[in-house]
């Protein structure tokens, strides 16, 4: 009988599945648990097992309680704190970490007050539950802006930032407090949803240590253990933190193609207290999110492309897979991206062109 501790994951979406896949060669058993439609059965969790989560929030059920009340649920109190934008932004202010100016929207808040405090373009964001740009509402001063019904007390208001670009930092904090990071990732969004990422463009190198200092400060303050992602806006040489994710993150998927240790394996190592050497990046890599598109076997014809299909029902706007490409051979990867353009819908043309430009930069 196998007495090695198991890693249990709250949630069995694609992140849980990729944690399981990454843990397999390390001989670590991972159980990703469906907490949206939980079964009625008690989970056979042992006292020495370890619990993590692939999402910040979960419905309350016997199953989710069994996991979240286990003494080895790592980072237990951090999920609720970061799942709510109000305490998350308050923490950034407390730590003096630059973020878009903001305020809480209460019963006393009105549109003109928000515009005088935050400027002509104000973005309302639901405190909890938003993702992929959902749960957001722009107030633009010339557009008869109105706080939607029922949003008072449920959202924060942020200054619209005319950023140069969006970058993210993915890193890990180990139980002994040591922090290790991947190089910065450059991200391209469309309507609030991540479309493309590319790792470590040389022109971001000078921001690496600044970004690492910011995320170290955050993870140390929280006494966090595991992989965390920090999404930022780059404005000139400044980084403003947009949001934090206490988990593996979409903008770190390229590490599956480019690194000796992917972000998924890194999180597993941190959870199970396995050794973590310096993170070696073998290749600059890119990722294309597959959003609301049907599975296409032709993707498998593309040299250098690695498909991850999540086996989810395809719905418009839903992330159903991604393709990683290592880009050390520029011509080869650009050739693959140009072919991929012919296989994906119209709204992919501009983002793929963006990626090709970045590969050529
Ligand atoms: P989520 O990813 O959880 O949906 P985000 O806060 O990351 O929510 O917002 C999604 C996207 O919306 C960001 O990646 C960015 O493109 C845009 N965005 C968010 N906040 C601002 C802001 N203050 N100013 C301008 N654009 C923003
Ligand atoms: Mg985001």
């Amino acid at each position: 009988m196998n007495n090695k501790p198991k890693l249990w994951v709250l949630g069995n979406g694609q992140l849980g599945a990729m944690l399981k896949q990454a843990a397999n060669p390390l001989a670590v058993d991972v159980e990703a648990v469906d907490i949206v439609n939980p079964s009625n059965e008690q989970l056979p969790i042992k006292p020495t097992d370890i619990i993590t989560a692939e999402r910040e929030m979960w419905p309350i059920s016997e199953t989710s309680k069994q996991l979240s009340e286990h003494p080895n649920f790592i980072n237990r109190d951090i999920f609720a704190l970061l799942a709510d934008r109000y305490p998350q932004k308050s923490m950034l202010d407390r730590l003096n970490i630059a973020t878009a100016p903001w305020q809480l929207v209460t019963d006393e808040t009105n549109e003109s007050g928000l515009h005088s405090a935050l400027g002509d373009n104000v973005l309302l964001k639901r405190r909890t539950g938003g993702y992929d740009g959902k749960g957001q509402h722009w107030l633009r001063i010339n557009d008869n802006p109105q706080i939607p019904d029922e949003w008072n007390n449920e959202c924060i208001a942020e200054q619209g930032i005319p950023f140069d670009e969006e970058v993210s930092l993915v890193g890990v904090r180990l139980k002994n407090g040591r922090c290790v990071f991947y190089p910065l990732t450059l991200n391209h969004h469309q309507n609030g949803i991540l479309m493309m990422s590319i790792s470590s463009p040389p022109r971001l190198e000078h921001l690496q240590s600044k970004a690492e200092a910011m995320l170290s400060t955050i993870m140390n303050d929280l006494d966090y253990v595991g992989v965390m992602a920090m999404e930022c806006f780059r404005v000139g040489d400044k980084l403003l933190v947009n949001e934090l994710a206490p988990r593996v993150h979409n903008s770190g998927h390229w590490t599956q193609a480019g690194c000796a240790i992917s972000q998924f394996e890194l999180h597993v190592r941190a959870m199970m207290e396995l050794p973590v050497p310096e993170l070696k990046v073998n290749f600059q890599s890119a990722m294309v999110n597959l959003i609301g598109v049907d599975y296409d076997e032709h993707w498998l014809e593309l040299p250098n492309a690695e498909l991850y299909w999540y086996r989810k029902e395809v719905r418009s706007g839903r992330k159903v897979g991604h393709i990683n490409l290592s880009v050390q051979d520029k011509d080869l990867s650009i050739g693959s991206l140009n072919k991929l353009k012919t296989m994906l819908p119209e709204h992919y043309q501009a983002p793929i062109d963006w990626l090709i430009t970045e590969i050529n930069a």
Side-chain angles (χ1 to χ4, degrees):
M1 153 152 181
N2 180 3
N3 279 323
K4 271 179 62 180
K6 243 187 202 182
L7 180 62
W8 297 81
V9 185
L10 269 139
N12 70 340
Q14 66 265 23
L15 301 180
M18 290 187 279
L19 285 167
K20 190 177 170 79
Q21 184 207 10
N24 191 44
L26 308 186
V28 173
D29 288 329
V30 170
E31 290 276 349
V33 182
D34 185 351
I35 42 167
V36 177
N37 299 299
S39 89
N40 293 326
E41 279 163 40
Q42 281 280 108
L43 301 167
I45 312 178
K46 295 197 294 289
T48 52
D49 286 351
I50 306 290
I51 323 293
T52 187
E54 60 146 29
R55 47 195 284 164
E56 293 88 331
M57 282 188 14
W58 43 84
I60 305 228
S61 66
E62 281 310 309
T63 301
S64 66
K65 273 199 209 155
Q66 214 199 326
L67 291 159
S68 63
E69 290 172 4
H70 191 287
N72 290 346
F73 180 30
I74 313 287
N75 303 318
R76 170 195 327 275
D77 302 327
I78 298 174
F79 293 101
L81 183 121
L82 295 185
D84 184 337
R85 292 185 191 270
Y86 179 39
Q88 185 181 134
K89 292 283 271 188
S90 305
M91 176 192 70
L92 293 171
D93 287 353
R94 176 173 59 77
L95 296 175
N96 246 324
I97 288 181
T99 185
W102 67 284
Q103 66 180 63
L104 184 65
V105 176
T106 66
D107 285 332
E108 277 77 62
T109 311
N110 60 44
E111 292 78 2
S112 64
L114 285 179
H115 286 300
S116 28
L118 298 171
D120 288 356
N121 297 311
V122 173
L123 183 55
L124 302 181
K125 296 182 175 179
R126 305 279 303 179
R127 283 174 55 174
T128 60
Y131 67 98
D132 291 346
K134 296 183 178 67
Q136 302 196 353
H137 182 87
W138 278 100
L139 301 179
R140 301 190 193 274
I141 200 154
N142 295 327
D143 238 8
N144 186 24
Q146 273 172 344
I147 301 172
D149 287 346
E150 322 276 315
W151 277 44
N152 290 81
N153 301 309
E154 298 292 335
C155 68
I156 65 162
E158 273 186 21
Q159 185 173 91
I161 304 295
F163 50 78
D164 294 307
E165 56 195 7
E166 294 190 71
V167 306
S168 59
L169 184 70
V170 176
V172 75
R173 184 172 179 275
L174 306 174
K175 206 172 170 197
N176 64 11
R178 184 172 149 242
C179 297
V180 196
F181 300 94
Y182 294 108
L184 283 163
T185 304
L186 184 60
N187 299 313
H188 185 77
H189 293 77
Q190 200 172 57
N191 303 322
I193 185 163
L194 182 68
M195 298 289 285
M196 313 275 145
S197 292
I198 179 162
S199 68
S200 44
R203 69 195 156 81
L204 293 181
E205 256 167 41
H206 69 292
L207 295 171
Q208 183 73 24
S209 57
K210 192 186 292 192
E212 290 187 7
M214 291 161 88
L215 187 49
S216 300
T217 301
I218 293 162
M219 294 197 291
N220 288 333
D221 181 75
L222 295 170
D223 198 19
Y224 181 81
V225 176
V227 167
M228 188 181 281
M230 176 176 81
E231 296 179 15
C232 295
F233 301 134
R234 182 181 73 73
V235 183
D237 278 338
K238 281 199 342 204
L239 291 178
L240 300 183
V241 175
N242 172 35
E243 61 168 354
L244 300 163
R247 51 172 169 78
V248 288
H249 190 257
N250 199 169
S251 70
H253 288 2
W254 65 266
T255 59
Q256 293 167 313
C259 297
I261 301 173
S262 74
Q263 64 162 348
F264 301 99
E265 182 173 334
L266 187 61
H267 188 65
V268 170
R269 289 187 189 217
M271 292 298 100
M272 306 316 277
E273 295 185 52
L274 294 169
V276 174
E278 282 309 301
L279 293 176
K280 173 121 174 45
V281 179
N282 294 323
F283 311 115
Q284 189 185 26
S285 301
M287 183 215 62
V288 175
N289 259 345
L290 298 168
I291 299 161
V293 291
D294 287 320
Y295 187 96
D296 184 349
E297 234 175 62
H298 294 294
W299 297 328
L300 302 177
E301 292 163 5
L302 304 172
N304 253 20
E306 300 171 23
L307 173 66
Y308 289 78
W309 183 255
Y310 306 154
R311 300 164 181 256
K312 299 200 297 197
E313 190 195 327
V314 177
R315 279 190 239 130
S316 163
R318 189 177 206 203
K319 290 177 187 168
V320 288
H322 69 273
I323 292 174
N324 284 331
L325 296 121
S326 64
V327 295
Q328 79 279 18
D329 182 336
K330 283 191 184 187
D331 292 342
L332 190 70
S333 47
I334 290 170
S336 287
L337 286 167
N338 276 322
K339 282 194 207 117
L340 184 60
K341 267 170 77 174
T342 66
M343 302 171 188
L344 289 171
E346 174 57 31
H347 68 278
Y348 267 90
Q349 309 301 307
I352 293 182
D353 284 340
W354 172 89
L355 192 52
I356 291 173
T357 307
E358 288 302 330
I359 291 172
N360 274 323

